Amino acid sequence: MQRSGLKLFPSSFWKSRRVEKSMRRVLPRSLLARSLLIVFIPLLITQGIALEVFYGNFLQVASRRLSDSVTSEIVLSLNALEHLKKPADRQWFVEQAQQHLQLVESWHSNARLRRFGSTHVLGPMDEDLARALRASISYPFFVNWRADPHTVKISIQLPDGVLDVEAPRKRLDMGQIWLFVAWAVGSSLLLFVIASLFMRNQVRAIRRLAHAAEQFGLGRDIGPIRPAGAQEVRKAAVAFNRMQDRIYRFVSQRTGVLAGVSHDLRTPLTRLRLSLDMMPRTGMVRAEDIQPDVEDMIGDVAEMEHMIASYLAFARGEGAENVAETEIEPFLEDVAAAARRAGAHVFSVRVAQGLRVHMRPDAMRRALTNLVDNARRYAKHINLSAQSRSDGVVVMVDDDGPGIPPERRDGVLRAFESGRGGGTGLGLTISRDIVRAHGGEMELLDSPMGGLRVRLFLPR
């Protein structure tokens, strides 16, 4: 079975896997080193292409033209010296060549060359000059590039002697190649250093974010981090601060719930203990005699069940429900229909047709049901509406009840804060918790109907 399983993958797949593993061993592991490598390799390739284009194309063309120009002047000098027989005429031409052609010529009669060809220097000019001389003159020659750093000495073997021609080096050499190489390398290093400084700042912001995430995961409160670096890194830092704030708020709410559980359950438990202590321990006990105590204990147990169910609903939050794109109009119609069956008078549902938002439908239905139930206790009419915004959707629950004074609105959103008796004070808290889990926010405002408006904002 194992061999047949291996045959399912082609050989190219395993080759690519081996190449990938080899690249992982070669490439650096840190983000800074990889970023610098991404900058350095294209820069190196660009400088190499520039070097090849300049010295492989332009420099060769210019060198050939310079060599052809100097060679043609040397050929002109040879032809003139062959036709001028008088020494005075030859001397006159040599002076004219030095003055107008920048060629210093000297004649050595009956001399012989001992070396032929050319000395080699860096660049194409030595080969180009030798090629031009071979193509233009039929006499042996020797080109010395190293005798003088400012001139090039060209010795031509004639039948009756040797003609030495000293040409300015600047007429044949366009410049040392190491100057261009130094410029290319220097500019590359300068750009690489500048890129390193910028990349180091970016990576420092990412490292700071990673350190903050690690410390937060260890349970250490380091506070919000300052956004720095590129725009994407700043957005990640802002998102991390928001996530940290939501988690701290979530933990504080759950801590408050645990404290409230012990506080609220203590009263019915105390009543149960007192009832049990007051029951007779000996003798015959008639059921009719303890019937009121039993009914009180049953009521205390029912009250405890109701509180525990509310606590569990609050602790569960939205659960593991997946986010789905939901159309708002039929969703609010379902909430209104359920509220009408429970006895609420939902006056109207106003939603723009086709309005959609991503949310957890069951959790959000629970949140809206809590809000409608709270409104039903204190109001006669309830309106549900939704509006579209550029960054999300606003859902509003309005009623015509007595409302909540502005100075008490923050208090009723806390756990175990109830406007009137008969509740655990978790309805609004559960709804706000669910909305915040969606990345939104819940506000209590004055309603146009005269009562309370609960506005829910859900991001798209």
Side-chain angles (χ1 to χ4, degrees):
M1 293 296 293
Q2 187 176 1
R3 293 180 179 177
S4 62
L6 292 175
K7 291 180 181 179
L8 295 175
F9 298 96
S11 59
S12 59
F13 172 79
W14 299 111
K15 290 180 181 179
S16 61
R17 294 284 294 178
R18 286 195 294 269
V19 171
E20 183 179 356
K21 290 181 179 179
S22 301
M23 292 294 294
R24 287 179 181 177
R25 285 193 289 267
V26 174
L27 291 176
R29 294 183 179 273
S30 65
L31 176 62
L32 178 60
R34 291 191 177 187
S35 301
L36 294 178
L37 195 63
I38 292 174
V39 174
F40 180 71
I41 290 179
L43 187 62
L44 186 64
I45 293 175
T46 302
Q47 295 293 356
I49 293 175
L51 184 64
E52 175 62 24
V53 169
F54 182 77
Y55 278 96
N57 186 11
F58 171 74
L59 183 61
Q60 290 183 357
V61 173
S63 178
R64 285 196 299 267
R65 293 178 180 176
L66 292 176
S67 299
D68 292 340
S69 175
V70 173
T71 301
S72 62
E73 294 174 359
I74 292 175
V75 172
L76 177 62
S77 299
L78 289 176
N79 294 334
L81 293 176
E82 288 179 354
H83 288 82
L84 297 175
K85 302 300 183 181
K86 295 180 180 181
D89 295 338
R90 287 189 173 186
Q91 184 62 31
W92 174 82
F93 180 79
V94 168
E95 294 175 356
Q96 293 296 316
Q98 181 177 359
Q99 182 178 358
H100 298 286
L101 302 179
Q102 297 181 348
L103 297 178
V104 180
E105 299 178 352
S106 58
W107 169 255
H108 305 280
S109 59
N110 298 324
R112 294 292 175 183
L113 289 178
R114 295 182 180 181
R115 297 178 62 184
F116 301 96
S118 174
T119 57
H120 297 286
V121 292
L122 187 63
M125 53 274 190
D126 54 346
E127 297 178 357
D128 293 335
L129 181 59
R131 177 195 53 79
L133 290 173
R134 292 192 193 96
S136 302
I137 62 177
S138 57
Y139 299 110
F141 62 87
F142 175 69
V143 181
N144 191 352
W145 289 83
R146 299 178 179 176
D148 191 337
H150 302 289
T151 60
V152 178
K153 185 177 181 181
I154 305 170
S155 301
I156 303 173
Q157 180 66 65
L158 298 177
D160 52 350
V162 175
L163 176 65
D164 290 336
V165 180
E166 294 182 2
R169 192 185 184 97
K170 62 183 180 180
R171 293 193 57 189
L172 296 168
D173 190 358
M174 293 185 60
Q176 297 293 336
I177 189 174
W178 64 268
L179 292 176
F180 182 80
V181 174
W183 173 82
V185 174
S187 61
S188 300
L189 291 177
L190 179 61
L191 294 176
F192 186 70
V193 169
I194 295 175
S196 301
L197 295 177
F198 279 101
M199 290 304 303
R200 186 179 179 184
N201 292 333
Q202 303 304 319
V203 173
R204 185 186 296 114
I206 297 176
R207 287 176 178 172
R208 188 184 300 116
L209 179 60
H211 176 73
E214 183 178 3
Q215 295 298 314
F216 180 70
L218 295 175
R220 301 170 184 172
D221 186 8
I222 61 173
I225 60 175
R226 182 176 61 86
Q231 183 180 5
E232 291 78 8
V233 181
R234 290 174 179 268
K235 288 182 178 179
V238 172
F240 175 80
N241 289 334
R242 291 176 179 173
M243 178 199 70
Q244 186 176 223
D245 181 64
R246 285 196 297 266
I247 292 177
Y248 280 138
R249 190 166 53 210
F250 177 85
V251 172
S252 64
Q253 287 177 352
R254 295 311 184 264
T255 304
V257 167
L258 292 177
V261 167
S262 62
H263 178 271
D264 287 357
L265 291 180
R266 187 179 293 116
T267 301
L269 285 174
T270 302
R271 290 199 301 262
L272 284 173
R273 180 177 296 175
L274 290 174
S275 298
L276 291 174
D277 289 339
M278 293 177 65
M279 283 187 176
R281 305 296 180 119
T282 60
M284 298 293 293
V285 179
R286 297 194 330 173
E288 293 82 358
D289 295 336
I290 63 172
Q291 183 67 27
D293 295 331
V294 172
E295 291 179 353
D296 291 340
M297 288 188 289
I298 292 175
D300 290 335
V301 171
E303 181 183 353
M304 293 170 62
E305 288 180 347
H306 176 67
M307 286 189 294
I308 291 174
S310 299
Y311 298 149
L312 291 177
F314 177 76
R316 281 195 301 266
E318 72 280 1
E321 185 184 3
N322 294 326
V323 176
E325 187 179 17
T326 307
E327 189 172 357
I328 298 297
E329 184 177 10
F331 178 78
L332 291 184
E333 290 288 353
D334 292 342
V335 174
R340 291 188 184 103
R341 289 194 299 269
H345 185 197
V346 180
F347 188 71
S348 65
V349 177
R350 299 190 302 273
V351 183
Q353 189 174 6
L355 186 60
R356 294 175 174 271
V357 69
H358 288 85
M359 65 180 180
R360 298 176 179 88
D362 293 340
M364 190 55 61
R365 182 178 290 107
R366 216 170 114 237
L368 288 173
T369 300
N370 286 339
L371 298 177
V372 173
D373 286 343
N374 284 338
R376 180 173 58 86
R377 293 191 187 102
Y378 310 119
K380 295 181 179 180
H381 299 89
I382 302 171
N383 285 350
L384 299 178
S385 60
Q387 299 175 356
S388 176
R389 274 180 26 181
S390 60
D391 54 347
V393 172
V394 175
V395 179
M396 290 174 288
V397 180
D398 293 290
D399 62 59
D400 58 354
I404 299 177
E407 63 273 9
R408 294 193 61 246
R409 289 172 185 173
D410 291 336
V412 298
L413 290 175
R414 291 194 295 266
F416 312 109
E417 293 286 344
S418 179
R420 295 182 183 178
T424 60
L426 288 174
L428 292 177
T429 308
I430 291 174
S431 298
R432 186 181 64 171
D433 191 55
I434 293 174
V435 173
R436 285 180 172 177
H438 285 74
E441 192 54 72
M442 188 177 82
E443 294 181 279
L444 302 183
L445 305 170
D446 292 328
S447 173
M449 298 174 62
L452 180 68
R453 163 175 285 184
V454 182
R455 184 172 66 181
L456 311 179
F457 169 70
L458 300 176
R460 293 188 184 275

